[in-house]
Amino acid sequence: MQWKRITAVAATVMLAAVACGSPSSNSGTNSGGQGDLGGAQEKATDATAKGPAAEVDGAKKGGTVTVLSDVTPDTFDPTNIYYTDGNQISKLMFRTLTQYRLDGDSHKPVLVPDLAEDLGTKSADGLTWTFKLKKGIKYQDGTEVKAADYAYAIKRSFAHDLYDAGPTYQLQFFKDGDTYKGPYGAGGANYAGVETPDESTLVIKLAKKFDDLPFYVAFPMFTPIPQAKDTQKNYEQRPMSTGPYKVDSYVPGTELKLSKNPSWDPNSDPVRHQYVDAWDFKFAQDTIKAQRQVLASSGPDANALNYSNLDSTLLSEVKDQSQLVKGPSPCTITYPMDTRKIPLEVRKLIAKAYPYDSWRKVAGLNPATDPPASTILPPAVPGFVKYELPGLNGTGKGAEDDAVAAEIKSELGKLGKANFELSWYFSIDDPISTQSSQLRQQVFEKAGFKVKTIGVPKAKLRTYVGNQDAPVNIGKTPTGWCSDWPSGTSWFPVLFRSDAIALGNSIGQLQDKALDAKIDAVSAKTPDEQLKEWTNVDKDILENYLPALPLYYSNTEAPMGKNIGHAINDPTQGLPEFTSIYLKQP
Amino acid sequence: MSIGSPGSTVGVEDHPASAEPVRTAATPHGKSPSRIAFDRLRKDKVAVTCASIVVFFILIAVFAPLLAKLEGQNYSTFHTDLVDEFGYPTISFSPDHWFGVEPKTGRDSFARWVYGARPSLIIAFLATLFGTVVGVVMGLLAGFLGGWVDRVISWLVDFVLSLPYLLFAIALVPIVESMRGGSFNLTPQEQAQIRFYVLIFVLSFFGWAGLARIIRGEVLSLREREFVLAAKAIGVPTRQVLFKELLPNLVAPIVISASLSLPAYVTAEAGLSFLGVGLVEPIPSWGQTIAVATNWFKADPLYLWLPVIGITVLVLSLALLGDAIRDAFDPKTRR
């Protein structure tokens, strides 16, 4: 459940969620500034979509695209991929049961069947899902994809000890998810949760209702994996491709080379194209250097792109705005406070004291890509309704204002909480983290709080802040979250229910039975009914519980080389869409 | 002319050749080698200029709080109202902020610059002092005493020279932190100070070995010379032989080594801070500023130039001064 820009925004986002799935906001390809944050969206699905994907106007074939990436995806094992960039790159190699098609000028994502013939059929009790599978799908070596391979991939995902970075919904929702430990142990071949009655049918059995399953099966872990080829941890070196490209070579942490997959049949694929001949991903580049190279586009760099948000120091070097891919991404970044340790009244005073404006500058946030947030759900998630509680809109001077500071100080005194101690971790060897921490400390101390900051090495920070019982009361992860699919169900039940603490991803460590009940009540409704309900829960949480201060939403603004054609934002991941990119002059 | 009787002064006057030659005031007479070198240095324009620049920087470092007060700013206050929403400073030189403000944070550049001179100089001078004292003592002992003392010290020198000093600098920080109660019980200020002292320790610990080797070699050749043998023969105590007979003859290599290691330590500190293993916030230092400012070079060149100029001028002056001192002490140099 990681966000790709861990290093870039280490100060504010220690550990965020992965993005997957969310219809775009109305902002479309606009920069998504404050003014055009979208409204509520309908969940969009198209169960009848057929291949081939509509041709892109003016697209040419041929050439090699180089991706100069400053971040390094941790894995390309389909079962283990959960970071947004790994997801996006894997789309070139792995086809899954369902996939998102980006429709229209606003590139609105629509869930379509990919390797499945349909979006799944639910049984009356909602606990058995049947997917019809396409026939004649082949791996890159020409061998036929079997129904058993889909079943094996699902079984494989239960070996969470081995694939510990991958998504975990199957452990919570699939039948025997809590007891089955994957196909490798004794009796691993027998798993009751998945059945393949014939070569074109896949049946998934659930332990509890999970109406978002069609969205979940868009994750790369649902790509078919033949048991005979499974080399466990080494599978990412030679994975079996079903998509338009196959892996030529992979050096972990350094380079991934992809070339055309001859067995890919465009007529069966409603989403992907195969315009360029090859992809060359170079990882662990220097951010500024790579982005400057891509912007300058001299020589071979014109065929290059970088998928991180443009560093704000390079803004003045952008000559051609069309070199930036812009659009929304489904994430909100917050400032979480441990509700078990800080009383509600004090949390409200912290909200009043927080120096939003100054912090945004110190943290280097770009107004175009990081618009201030006032809600928990980001605009890119359906069901989002913009509302603002007084003082909670991601902007303001907070206690930098002398009068406000004095007022907070006196109120703290009245509550009997004068010199209330706030404590948090920061990364001692990261200048942005240190400076943000200094700023908060100065302002909170001015407002009458006592502040204890603990500097830890950057490499260890995630271990410290990831501990839900860490001896600090502010800033435990997740500090930010991205949608796993376009619904509030990938937000509120996973972040704010009491059991989220045990799962290690609670924002604010809320333990409130009444709130649990409210969340459960909404979760039990049909997806369409939920759309209108989540925003009430959202408001209720911020108004009555305030486990976190919403800081900003995130948008995409990635630099592209001048020769890159059809560079569009994929709002499901907040990254450029790779499978439809072509070279203007191959 | 008769030769005068003993005790008579007449003969001496009559034989000018046996008398002391007549000297003008400018002719060196009975001066120690250090005295000669110092006289030469005073006449060397480069040396004088460099020395004044070094003194200038030392004064800046010493009076940093005063200078910042004069400007009316301090190095840690954020002025985010002076940067726009993209983090670019909206002001450059102004009466309130003499060198403008930092991008993003809006902290005062002048105050950070004058305070930034402090760690560079303190670390360089302390490490040089420690390295020189230990190196000289070790070299003297090893060279003069010989035998097992020499073997032990030479082994120690080889051992220290073989240790990877960058790894040491990185690894020592968490060790010292845990000895002081772990990062949880330390304020950021204390953590930054720990790094500061660790840096001094690491640089001096790795600095003495080279000098010790040079001194040992010099002493090996000196101890067979007549004056040392004579001193030993008449029973002068070892300590006195070491410090009264040998040490004065070692001034040249010592001064040269010290003057060359000063700029090396200034760059080492800046380099380590640039790499992120040296000093950290909230202590301001030029190396850290350079590390951050390289990203802002196109947008805000002044931010990068200030510490770069500071370090370049200081290191250049120290290096040229060291060169001039070396020339001045070299008996082969005739000017």
Side-chain angles (χ1 to χ4, degrees), chain A residues 156-338:
Chain A
R156 193 176 187 261
S157 70
F158 285 91
H160 195 63
D161 303 341
L162 206 53
Y163 312 110
D164 52 355
T168 53
Y169 290 90
Q170 75 278 15
L171 305 181
Q172 288 172 273
F173 287 102
F174 284 22
K175 194 176 176 187
D176 297 337
D178 44 349
T179 51
Y180 181 61
K181 294 292 170 214
Y184 305 122
N190 305 316
Y191 171 54
V194 56
E195 284 168 14
T196 51
D198 59 61
E199 269 307 304
S200 61
T201 312
L202 179 73
V203 179
I204 295 175
K205 296 197 167 156
L206 303 178
K208 42 187 170 179
K209 264 178 84 169
F210 186 32
D211 285 343
D212 291 316
L213 185 67
F215 292 93
Y216 188 43
V217 296
F219 271 97
M221 57 179 266
F222 291 94
T223 192
I225 298 172
Q227 183 164 11
K229 301 277 185 184
D230 183 13
T231 48
Q232 302 189 14
K233 274 289 185 189
N234 291 327
Y235 184 69
E236 60 181 356
Q237 295 289 339
R238 292 255 160 258
M240 299 303 281
S241 299
T242 42
Y245 298 91
K246 61 182 169 59
V247 176
D248 265 3
S249 68
Y250 172 51
V251 184
T254 312
E255 191 171 42
L256 172 72
K257 285 186 167 183
L258 306 178
S259 64
K260 276 187 174 178
N261 173 7
S263 304
W264 175 73
D265 177 11
N267 294 321
S268 71
D269 196 326
V271 179
R272 299 171 183 80
H273 300 278
Q274 198 184 39
Y275 291 136
V276 298
D277 289 338
W279 289 82
D280 188 359
F281 292 87
K282 293 182 195 294
F283 301 115
Q285 307 283 314
D286 184 76
T287 317
I288 306 269
K289 196 173 146 264
Q291 296 193 332
R292 198 169 263 160
Q293 230 174 314
V294 167
L295 283 178
S297 285
S298 56
D301 292 339
N303 298 347
L305 65 90
N306 172 283
Y307 59 72
S308 286
N309 273 2
L310 192 72
D311 193 277
S312 59
T313 57
L314 293 176
L315 281 171
S316 56
E317 292 174 37
V318 181
K319 302 279 182 298
D320 181 1
Q321 284 295 318
S322 70
Q323 272 189 280
L324 296 179
V325 168
K326 295 178 184 178
S329 70
C331 309
T332 307
I333 317 303
T334 64
Y335 188 62
M337 301 170 279
D338 192 331

Side-chain angles (χ1 to χ4, degrees), chain A residues 288 292 312-317 357-359 361-368 397 400 425-426 428-429 431-432 434-435 438-439 441-442 452-456 464 471-472, chain B residues 76-78 80-88 102-105 107 112 174 177 183-188 191-192 195 276 280-282 292 294-299 303:
Chain A
I288 306 269
R292 198 169 263 160
S312 59
T313 57
L314 293 176
L315 281 171
S316 56
E317 292 174 37
D357 291 347
S358 292
W359 173 79
K361 290 173 183 174
V362 172
L365 298 186
N366 175 340
K397 287 178 77 70
E400 277 187 306
Y425 291 111
F426 69 96
I428 186 108
D429 32 21
I432 295 180
T434 325
Q435 288 167 4
Q438 281 173 33
L439 172 76
Q441 179 166 12
Q442 283 177 14
K452 180 176 175 184
T453 61
I454 301 145
V456 294
Y464 283 107
V472 293
Chain B
S76 61
T77 307
F78 291 81
T80 45
D81 45 330
L82 296 179
V83 300
D84 67 11
E85 53 182 353
F86 294 99
Y88 299 103
E102 242 185 4
K104 281 194 195 170
T105 59
R107 294 182 294 191
R112 294 190 72 76
E177 272 184 6
S183 54
F184 199 82
N185 296 314
L186 299 169
T187 66
Q191 284 185 306
R195 296 230 178 180
V280 289
E281 298 246 5
V292 178
T294 42
N295 292 345
W296 292 87
F297 179 54
K298 285 211 172 167
Y303 181 41

Side-chain angles (χ1 to χ4, degrees), chain A residues 102-147:
Chain A
L102 306 181
D103 277 2
D105 291 338
S106 61
H107 313 303
K108 182 183 163 208
V110 175
L111 190 77
V112 297
D114 186 0
L115 285 178
E117 292 276 8
D118 54 22
L119 292 176
T121 323
K122 189 169 59 162
S123 66
D125 61 357
L127 294 179
T128 305
W129 283 79
T130 310
F131 289 89
K132 283 283 166 201
L133 302 172
K134 279 180 186 155
K135 291 193 185 99
I137 305 292
K138 292 191 174 91
Y139 295 112
Q140 82 269 25
D141 60 0
T143 53
E144 195 100 1
V145 173
K146 297 190 183 71

